[in-house]
Amino acid sequence: MTLSRVALSNLQRELEQLLARLDSQPHGDLIYQALQIFTNIADEELERLDWKILRSCLRDMHQALRVFAPYRHTRKISIFGSARTVDTAPVYHMAVKFAQAASAAGFMIITGAGGGIMEAGNKGAGPEKSFGLNIELPFEQGANPYIEGDPRLIHFKYFFTRKVFLIKETDAIAVFPGGFGTQDEAFECLTLCQTGKAPPTPLVLMDVPEGTYWKRWDQLVQEEFCGAGLISNEDRELYRICTNVEEGLEYLSGFYRVYHSCRYVGDRLVLRLNQDISDAALADLNRDFADILLSGSIERTAPLPREIEDEQPTNHPLLTHTLHLPRLILHFNQRDYSRLYQLIYRLNGLATATATYHPERK
């Protein structure tokens, strides 16, 4: 297809305007690198299908980034589960109650926007607390009636770009029984957490009290995965099986009781905390988790210069900065992520009765 002169002229003007202000953009260096990659791709001998895939990926990501941007200050829970679960099933009603309780506690809910468990999640959360990440398929699935037409409904062309945002934008994960798609999502989340390709994220496997779905799944994990040495026993710390709505939500929200978030600065891992810990508690952490350190010890730290640079005040009214939070810094081996989860659980057990606890806020 031949581009018109008007289209080319408009694009040239937009690029010139972008380049003119690039050095004053907060993330101008990254924008520059992205543009450079794109120009390099343009020099490759790609087929038309390659460009269609690239275009559709960028379109998927652009619309998702735009929709989620205003809600970055609010923690979210992604709910996975079967699209085939009928609305009379006990597990459907459990998913509705779970989403109701989570939204009442201040969390927002992300689902795949389809029927079954996804519908239950959007129904329980209500339109003001819901996101729907729908996938375009020729035979299914239209968005469920509780998210259809909502500005927070996003239509994705590709499963993999959709999955990026189901995981990237969430702070906690609840998985209800489901088929291949649900298992794919659950194992992807576990793999990303196990390998550190996602930040530490609590994952709960939900079922009704009489259900056997996750009990048998966990038996498989213990006997075949752990038994054969395919994963370590500590990797089972990456998930929790719950058969009670309150227990499941407490497990997810409790992950942020003392632990707030983390990031790398150079080769050091910085743990941001909602409250400081005692010298005795810090000594205990160094004694019990020395095995995950490449060198040195776990220490307190003030915000590092790179953190201060990255969190300079902006005019965005919804951004909550973390510079005021106490911190720990460690030379983590970037291998034993299950042990890192254990360290986070230990930190959360140090919460004091007087601590201000807002697990739903970032």
Side-chain angles (χ1 to χ4, degrees):
M1 179 184 295
T2 303
L3 290 169
S4 70
R5 283 191 175 185
V6 173
L8 287 172
S9 178
N10 289 339
L11 178 59
Q12 182 176 354
R13 185 177 66 254
E14 290 173 4
L15 286 173
E16 289 174 350
Q17 292 173 350
L18 173 60
L19 292 173
R21 65 177 189 272
L22 203 56
D23 60 349
S24 62
Q25 292 282 96
H27 311 296
D29 58 330
L30 296 176
I31 298 172
Y32 168 79
Q33 292 170 29
L35 291 172
Q36 193 171 48
I37 291 170
F38 209 78
T39 56
N40 290 340
I41 293 174
D43 289 334
E44 303 288 341
E45 294 183 3
L46 301 183
E47 296 181 356
R48 187 170 181 82
L49 177 59
D50 297 326
W51 281 107
K52 284 185 174 181
I53 292 173
L54 182 58
R55 176 206 61 191
S56 297
C57 289
L58 291 172
R59 183 181 292 164
D60 276 357
M61 299 185 77
H62 176 225
Q63 63 167 336
L65 289 168
R66 187 181 66 247
V67 170
F68 276 108
Y71 304 96
R72 291 276 163 78
H73 64 298
T74 303
R75 292 200 190 274
K76 305 165 193 70
I77 300 175
S78 282
I79 293 180
F80 299 116
S82 177
R84 302 185 183 188
T85 302
V86 297
D87 60 7
T88 56
V91 73
Y92 179 98
H93 294 293
M94 185 184 203
V96 172
K97 292 179 180 178
F98 180 91
Q100 284 176 336
S103 61
F107 293 90
M108 299 187 79
I109 297 296
I110 307 173
T111 80
I117 295 299
M118 294 174 281
E119 176 184 295
N122 291 132
K123 179 180 179 180
E128 296 301 317
K129 293 278 191 171
S130 283
F131 293 89
L133 279 57
N134 192 43
I135 185 72
E136 299 171 358
L137 296 175
F139 52 90
E140 59 176 275
Q141 63 190 11
N144 66 67
Y146 300 100
I147 197 67
E148 179 64 62
D150 193 277
R152 286 178 294 278
L153 172 64
I154 308 167
H155 297 280
F156 287 83
K157 182 174 180 62
Y158 296 121
F159 272 109
F160 70 91
T161 49
R162 174 182 182 241
K163 195 185 298 181
V164 165
F165 286 90
L166 282 166
I167 299 172
K168 171 186 177 296
E169 296 294 339
T170 198
D171 302 278
I173 297 160
V175 191
F176 290 77
F180 290 153
T182 300
Q183 286 293 317
D184 172 62
E185 290 156 345
F187 275 114
E188 172 116 13
C189 293
L190 288 169
T191 300
L192 293 174
C193 293
Q194 182 198 44
T195 58
K197 289 299 183 181
T201 306
L203 188 152
V204 67
L205 306 174
M206 299 293 301
D207 201 358
V208 292
E210 65 274 15
T212 60
Y213 185 93
W214 293 118
K215 293 175 184 176
R216 291 179 176 175
W217 179 91
D218 189 48
Q219 184 177 356
L220 170 71
V221 170
Q222 291 184 64
E223 295 178 359
E224 300 295 338
F225 293 14
C226 293
L230 303 178
I231 65 172
S232 66
N233 288 324
E234 288 82 6
D235 287 332
R236 294 181 63 239
E237 295 284 348
L238 298 174
Y239 62 87
R240 174 77 61 85
I241 297 174
C242 292
T243 57
N244 176 279
V245 166
E246 291 74 21
E247 177 192 4
L249 184 57
E250 168 59 25
Y251 175 72
L252 297 184
S253 62
F255 194 79
Y256 300 101
R257 179 170 283 113
V258 172
Y259 170 78
H260 178 276
S261 57
C262 67
R263 66 164 290 180
Y264 279 94
V265 179
D267 61 354
R268 297 300 196 271
L269 178 63
V270 178
L271 301 178
R272 306 181 185 105
L273 308 180
N274 290 315
Q275 67 172 71
D276 205 352
I277 62 173
S278 69
D279 291 342
L282 182 58
D284 289 343
L285 292 180
N286 275 296
R287 181 195 65 216
D288 296 339
F289 293 94
D291 57 299
I292 69 173
L293 303 179
L294 285 178
S295 63
S297 59
I298 304 172
E299 301 174 346
R300 291 189 180 86
T301 183
L304 302 179
R306 182 57 187 272
E307 293 183 281
I308 296 172
E309 178 184 345
D310 290 346
E311 294 199 19
Q312 289 299 320
T314 70
N315 294 323
H316 199 303
L318 297 179
L319 291 180
T320 301
H321 297 285
T322 64
L323 296 180
H324 65 286
L325 296 176
R327 285 159 161 71
L328 299 177
I329 190 169
L330 58 149
H331 197 183
F332 177 54
N333 62 24
Q334 298 190 49
R335 181 184 66 247
D336 297 316
Y337 284 94
S338 300
R339 290 281 287 146
L340 179 62
Y341 274 67
Q342 291 178 334
L343 188 154
I344 290 172
Y345 296 140
R346 179 76 68 82
L347 285 170
N348 289 324
L350 300 173
T352 60
T354 58
T356 302
Y357 178 38
H358 294 294
E360 79 287 0
R361 299 181 191 171
K362 289 188 182 180

